[in-house]
Amino acid sequence: MASNKTTFFAPQLFIPHGVTDISFYAKAFDAVELRSWRNDDGSIHVAELSIHGAVFHLHEEHSEKGQFEPTRTKGITAIVGLFVEDVHEVMDKALHAGAMPITPTQDYEHGYRQGTIQDPFGHQWLIETRI
């Protein structure tokens, strides 16, 4: 993980209240849970995860702050771009872990190989590499 003196992005992805199983991220992306804060019922309040040093958070939604999980709004406002060495391998692994395909892996004239999946909580991930 980056030090406190390094600037980096750490997206917060909102999930529904009551979620206890976030194993998709470990299965799909080899994510490691660094730490988490759980509610009294054992559900996730916040979980900090890392994919090979890239940190992101899962956070239960806060409707009072206008922070909703994607399935509630039936849409998204951002896509998480994940740069990897082998797009096909990561896409296949994510699909086997329960992701839904959005766009198949393909090469683009702008110099990227990309494919898009949707995770079980409605977040879209653009799996990509420079070619």
Side-chain angles (χ1 to χ4, degrees), residues 1-68:
M1 184 164 88
S3 74
N4 289 337
K5 295 180 182 185
T6 302
T7 300
F8 64 97
F9 286 97
Q12 291 196 28
L13 306 179
F14 293 99
I15 58 176
H17 293 285
V19 170
T20 57
D21 182 8
I22 57 172
S23 63
F24 166 80
Y25 300 100
K27 293 174 188 171
F29 306 128
D30 296 325
V32 174
E33 186 176 314
L34 301 175
R35 56 190 175 157
S36 66
W37 294 264
R38 300 206 175 237
N39 299 313
D40 291 340
D41 65 358
S43 63
I44 299 290
H45 176 67
V46 176
E48 183 176 74
L49 298 106
S50 171
I51 301 171
H52 305 289
V55 174
F56 69 103
H57 297 91
L58 299 177
H59 200 299
E60 67 182 337
E61 70 176 354
H62 288 289
S63 57
E64 68 281 359
K65 294 180 180 179
Q67 299 168 341
F68 300 101

Side-chain angles (χ1 to χ4, degrees), residues 83-103:
F83 280 84
V84 299
E85 191 171 320
D86 187 333
V87 174
H88 291 286
E89 178 184 342
V90 174
M91 288 283 290
D92 288 345
K93 193 172 184 179
L95 293 171
H96 282 94
M100 302 271 301
I102 301 296
T103 60

